[in-house]
């Protein structure tokens, strides 16, 4: 923390009178924040407009009589409740799986010695840099051949483990003192018990971070569900229902409806972030530095 | 004792290794294998027949298959390069804004910037398609206020890809800002104190301390930004469908269209292999570049 207080840290701004420099910096920061928040503000404002207001030229910024009509109507077009539930199921189960597999593998890589350990680790970590499209075609066929196409299970099962989780868990579990683990072994605790009762509590913030990352990633994920579901609308997560909303919408332009749907889809990951952002940021910083 | 833990290691690793093996490594090998096969995605793997490098000849050939693929490859390269060129400098500038202690509000700025990274790309694409709307959109309205005429954004082949780059940068820059902040916290404050004693001004401090010591962070950021950029799919699938006139036909969209929708699994796999090879070459070149600078 001591390094953060030094005065030369904003060294990229030209030298001016201190007060003028500060005012310029504050203005720039405000501009960046406004530009960053604007699209989301526009989304929420648009969702409260009447259809007539949405089509006005030049655009109206603030709805004259804010109404929640669009939120009511959107449920008549796509099954919002069902889609939100599907997204919740997909994101929750996938996250639980990732936590379990990552903690176990991360513990093994951090605390065990076994043959070809670094080779295996390298191979697993390399998959972190593999864009999903590279494996999409055979994966689609593979998941179909084990009978999981067009189902929630088909979305979930291939994602129950990932390299990022293993990497993150190994980084943090490596910092747990060996003495702590050895003491528990002396007491006759099994390895799984040690992992869940001793190791997990000591790396709780990292676990929380991984849980949030995984949940948000799989709530937002689009390419794989779209490919594997083959139009099975009952299993649509909210992001796919949202995209259907637009194609429905092409005929009768109702921007408010689309924006209401978008607001609903954005809300869960954004709320999670607002309340738990400390873990997000810490784990990115942690993984970047330790990596 | 050692043997007991060797067995434990096997148990601990089995779930993750099996899942990643079956659903990532095996499909990756299958992609490579399928790239030299004639195979329809609607048939079992066993129906594939070996055709050597014909798929690669075709995707680089003079027919429409070749033209479309080469176009998608070029579009992806442009999109990726523009994304990285915009994201990296912005992440450093924004990172310094958050990190500095002269003006309050850095942490609030970080929150606002990073929040966009949580928004599903589908929602980003929907919202930005409305922001870009030529007549009802607020962007052209605001440009009008400062005397710039209406822009066609997504509806012109000259600007559509760039418009998608902008929404990508908007969504991702907060993540890279946090990475930049992580890098900045690693630079010892004493270096700046010493530089100040030597009479270095702010600009010199940035050029000779901040930037060189951020090189590793920026390399990591560049690699992640490239991997993220080649995955662009939602705005293209939802808004432009690769158009106008193929200007936003990017690889993830194109490979899915060929390999899944048209079920030309062999051709699509050959394209996926080319994408993988291109990424390996680019990432290795980046590492070589940074390591060479380290030696200087």
């Amino acid at each position: 923390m001591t390094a953060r207080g030094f005065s030369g840290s904003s060294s990229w701004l030209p030298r001016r009178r201190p007060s003028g420099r500060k005012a310029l910096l504050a203005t720039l920061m405000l501009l960046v924040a406004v530009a960053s928040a604007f699209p989301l503000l526009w989304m929420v404002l648009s969702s409260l407009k009447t259809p007539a207001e949405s089509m006005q030229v030049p655009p109206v910024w603030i709805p004259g009589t804010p109404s929640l009509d669009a939120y009511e109507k959107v449920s008549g077009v796509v099954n919002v409740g069902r889609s939100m539930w599907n997204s919740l199921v997909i994101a929750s189960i996938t996250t639980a799986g990732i936590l379990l597999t990552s903690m176990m593998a991360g513990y093994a890589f951090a605390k065990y010695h076994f043959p070809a350990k670094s080779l295996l680790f390298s191979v697993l970590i390399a998959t972190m840099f593999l864009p999903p499209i590279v494996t999409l075609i055979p994966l689609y066929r593979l998941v179909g051949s084990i009978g999981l196409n067009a189902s929630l299970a088909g979305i979930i099962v291939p994602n129950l483990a990932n390299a990022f989780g293993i990497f993150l868990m190994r980084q943090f579990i490596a910092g747990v003192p060996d003495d702590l683990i050895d003491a528990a072994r002396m007491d006759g605790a099994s390895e799984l018990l040690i992992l869940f009762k001793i190791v997990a509590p000591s790396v709780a913030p990292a676990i929380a971070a991984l849980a949030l990352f995984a949940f948000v990633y799989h709530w937002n994920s689009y390419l794989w569900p779209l490919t594997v579901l083959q139009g099975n609308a009952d299993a649509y997560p909210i992001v796919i229902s949202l995209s259907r909303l637009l194609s429905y919408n092409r005929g009768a332009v109702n921007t408010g409806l689309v924006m209401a749907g978008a607001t609903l889809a954005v809300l869960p990951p954004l709320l999670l972030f607002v309340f738990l952002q400390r873990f997000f940021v810490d784990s990115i910083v942690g993984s970047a530095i330790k990596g | 004792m050692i043997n007991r833990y060797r067995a434990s290691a096997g148990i601990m690793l089995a779930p993750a290794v099996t899942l990643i093996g079956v659903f990532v490594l095996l499909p990756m090998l299958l992609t490579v294998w399928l790239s030299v096969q004639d195979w329809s995605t609607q048939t079992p793997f066993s129906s594939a027949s070996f055709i050597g490098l014909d798929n690669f000849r075709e995707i680089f050939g003079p027919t429409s298959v070749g033209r479309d693929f080469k176009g998608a490859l070029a579009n992806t390269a442009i999109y990726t390069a523009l994304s990285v060129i915009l994201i990296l400098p912005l992440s450093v500038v924004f990172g310094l804004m958050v990190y500095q202690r002269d003006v309050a509000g850095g942490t609030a700025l970080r929150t606002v910037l990073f929040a966009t990274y949580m928004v599903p790309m589908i929602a980003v694409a929907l919202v930005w398609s409305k922001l870009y709307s030529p007549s009802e959109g607020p962007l052209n309205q605001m440009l009008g206020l400062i005397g710039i005429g209406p822009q066609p954004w997504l509806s012109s082949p000259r600007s559509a890809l760039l418009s998608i780059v902008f929404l990508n940068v908007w969504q991702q820059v907060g993540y890279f800002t946090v990475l930049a902040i992580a890098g900045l916290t690693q630079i010892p404050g004493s270096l700046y104190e010493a530089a100040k004693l030597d009479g270095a001004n702010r600009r010199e401090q940035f050029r000779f301390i901040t930037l060189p010591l951020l090189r590793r962070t920026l390399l990591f950021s560049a690699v992640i930004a490239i991997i993220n950029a080649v995955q662009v799919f939602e705005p293209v699938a939802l808004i432009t469908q690769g158009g106008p006139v193929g200007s936003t036909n990017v690889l993830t969209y194109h490979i899915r269209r060929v390999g899944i929708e048209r079920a030309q699994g062999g051709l699509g796999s050959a394209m996926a292999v080319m994408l993988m090879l291109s990424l390996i070459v680019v990432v290795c070149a980046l590492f070589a570049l940074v390591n060479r600078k380290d030696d200087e």
Side-chain angles (χ1 to χ4, degrees):
Chain A
M1 284 310 277
T2 48
R4 307 195 65 151
F6 64 88
S7 57
S9 56
S10 54
S11 49
W12 50 281
L13 277 180
R15 186 189 290 275
R16 286 165 198 241
R17 281 180 304 110
S19 61
R21 220 182 62 84
K22 277 190 189 179
L24 177 64
L25 178 58
T27 313
L28 282 174
M29 285 168 70
L30 191 67
L31 273 177
V32 172
V34 169
S36 188
F38 176 72
L40 293 180
L41 283 178
W42 183 263
M43 172 185 76
V44 176
L45 287 174
S46 300
S47 74
L48 302 172
K49 288 176 193 168
T50 62
E53 277 174 329
S54 296
M55 294 199 295
Q56 222 159 303
V57 180
V60 197
W61 283 49
I62 313 285
T65 48
S67 92
L68 293 173
D69 276 2
Y71 288 87
E72 267 172 55
K73 280 190 197 138
V74 75
S75 296
V77 183
V78 292
N79 196 337
V80 174
R82 180 68 186 257
S83 301
M84 294 286 267
W85 172 251
N86 288 337
S87 285
L88 187 69
V89 169
I90 294 165
S92 305
I93 297 179
T94 309
T95 301
I98 289 172
L99 287 185
L100 190 67
T101 55
S102 302
M103 280 165 64
M104 289 171 72
Y107 179 60
F109 281 116
K111 297 296 181 192
Y112 291 148
H113 301 283
F114 52 88
K117 178 165 123 173
S118 59
L119 176 70
L120 182 61
F121 189 69
S122 309
V123 170
L124 290 180
I125 292 311
T127 65
M128 201 156 83
F129 299 99
L130 199 66
I133 188 67
V134 171
T135 56
L136 188 81
I137 298 168
L139 186 62
Y140 166 76
R141 187 71 220 170
L142 201 66
V143 169
S145 67
I146 52 176
L148 293 179
N149 262 0
S151 71
L152 287 179
I155 303 177
I156 294 168
V157 173
N159 289 311
L160 289 173
N162 70 47
F164 173 73
I166 297 172
F167 176 73
L168 195 73
M169 284 299 114
R170 191 202 72 150
Q171 297 298 93
F172 282 87
I173 292 175
V176 178
D178 288 340
D179 295 349
L180 209 62
I181 295 166
D182 287 337
R185 280 176 186 162
M186 293 295 184
D187 294 341
S190 73
E191 290 298 298
L192 275 175
L193 192 72
I194 291 172
L195 174 58
F196 291 115
K197 294 281 180 189
I198 311 276
V199 174
S202 356
V203 295
I207 294 174
L210 178 57
L212 293 168
F213 264 116
F215 189 92
V216 172
Y217 185 88
H218 290 286
W219 179 280
N220 293 350
S221 169
Y222 181 73
L223 176 64
W224 176 241
L226 179 75
T227 304
V228 81
L229 283 184
Q230 303 170 315
N232 173 12
D234 285 341
Y236 279 170
I238 186 70
V239 287
I240 295 189
S241 290
L242 194 54
S243 68
R244 307 292 302 168
L245 207 53
L246 191 74
S247 43
Y248 156 85
N249 209 42
R250 284 231 168 85
V253 177
N254 185 349
T255 304
L257 207 67
V258 178
M259 293 299 167
T263 306
L264 290 173
V266 167
L267 224 46
L270 211 54
L271 281 179
L272 268 182
F273 166 70
V274 168
F275 288 113
L276 301 163
Q277 65 154 315
R278 187 167 58 88
F279 296 117
F280 273 103
V281 174
D282 286 354
S283 77
I284 293 186
V285 172
S287 63
I289 291 172
K290 293 177 183 175
Chain B
M1 280 301 263
I2 294 294
N3 280 337
R4 193 190 130 202
Y5 295 129
R6 193 168 284 180
S8 299
I11 293 165
M12 293 289 182
L13 287 169
V17 170
T18 308
L19 283 162
I20 293 178
V22 172
F23 295 114
V24 183
L25 293 173
L26 175 63
M28 195 186 84
L29 295 175
L30 282 169
T31 298
V32 175
W33 178 72
L34 289 168
S35 72
V36 291
Q37 308 286 327
D38 181 28
W39 178 65
S40 158
T41 313
Q42 280 159 351
T43 60
F45 292 124
S46 55
S47 70
S49 60
F50 182 75
I51 52 166
L53 296 177
D54 282 4
N55 286 328
F56 291 94
R57 268 180 218 117
E58 195 165 358
I59 64 174
F60 283 106
T63 61
S64 70
V65 174
R67 275 199 309 274
D68 288 350
F69 171 71
K70 283 180 276 185
L73 194 62
N75 286 338
T76 306
I78 295 167
Y79 176 89
T80 304
L82 286 175
S83 294
V84 174
I85 287 167
L86 287 172
I87 284 175
L88 288 196
L90 284 176
S91 74
V92 174
V93 172
F94 295 168
L96 286 163
M97 283 181 176
V98 172
Y99 189 60
Q100 57 79 31
R101 285 291 171 271
D102 295 350
V103 176
T107 308
L109 178 63
R110 186 191 70 189
T111 303
V112 174
L113 281 172
F114 198 45
T116 64
Y117 194 65
M118 300 296 126
V119 178
M121 197 49 170
I122 277 290
V124 174
L126 281 174
V127 172
W128 279 79
S129 74
K130 300 301 174 188
L131 296 179
Y132 281 141
S133 164
S135 49
E136 305 113 57
L139 286 182
N140 275 347
Q141 186 190 20
M142 285 189 281
L143 286 181
L145 291 179
I146 54 170
I148 298 174
Q151 301 297 314
W153 301 114
L154 294 162
S155 51
S156 156
R158 290 171 56 93
S159 57
L161 192 65
L162 188 64
S163 302
I164 297 178
V165 169
F166 287 154
L167 70 86
N168 180 51
V169 171
W170 172 81
Q171 196 214 17
Q172 305 237 322
V173 76
Y175 174 78
F176 293 96
T177 299
V178 173
L179 287 183
I181 297 166
L184 288 170
T185 59
Q186 298 298 293
I187 303 175
S190 57
L191 286 181
Y192 292 100
E193 300 301 332
K196 257 192 262 178
L197 288 178
D198 290 343
N201 64 30
R202 288 170 184 279
R203 219 179 280 236
E204 287 163 343
Q205 285 173 33
F206 177 72
R207 202 177 142 205
F208 295 109
I209 300 175
T210 312
L211 216 47
L213 289 175
L214 275 183
R215 201 163 63 227
R216 292 265 143 209
T217 302
L218 289 177
L219 171 67
F220 182 74
S221 290
V223 172
I224 304 283
I226 289 169
I227 306 281
N228 284 355
V230 301
Q231 296 181 32
V232 57
F233 178 72
E234 286 95 328
V236 177
L238 198 63
I239 314 281
T240 64
Q241 278 95 40
V245 286
S247 63
T248 62
N249 189 26
V250 287
L251 275 178
T252 295
Y253 180 73
H254 189 63
I255 291 173
R256 187 181 177 279
R257 188 162 56 177
V258 172
I260 304 285
E261 286 173 16
R262 296 184 197 149
Q264 295 170 315
L267 274 182
S269 295
M271 295 175 185
V273 167
M274 286 320 299
L275 171 62
M276 195 159 56
L277 288 178
S278 316
L279 276 176
I280 292 171
V281 168
V282 169
V283 170
C284 287
L286 266 179
F287 271 93
L289 192 74
V290 170
N291 284 333
R292 206 190 61 196
K293 287 233 173 115
D294 276 351
D295 294 338
E296 276 169 13

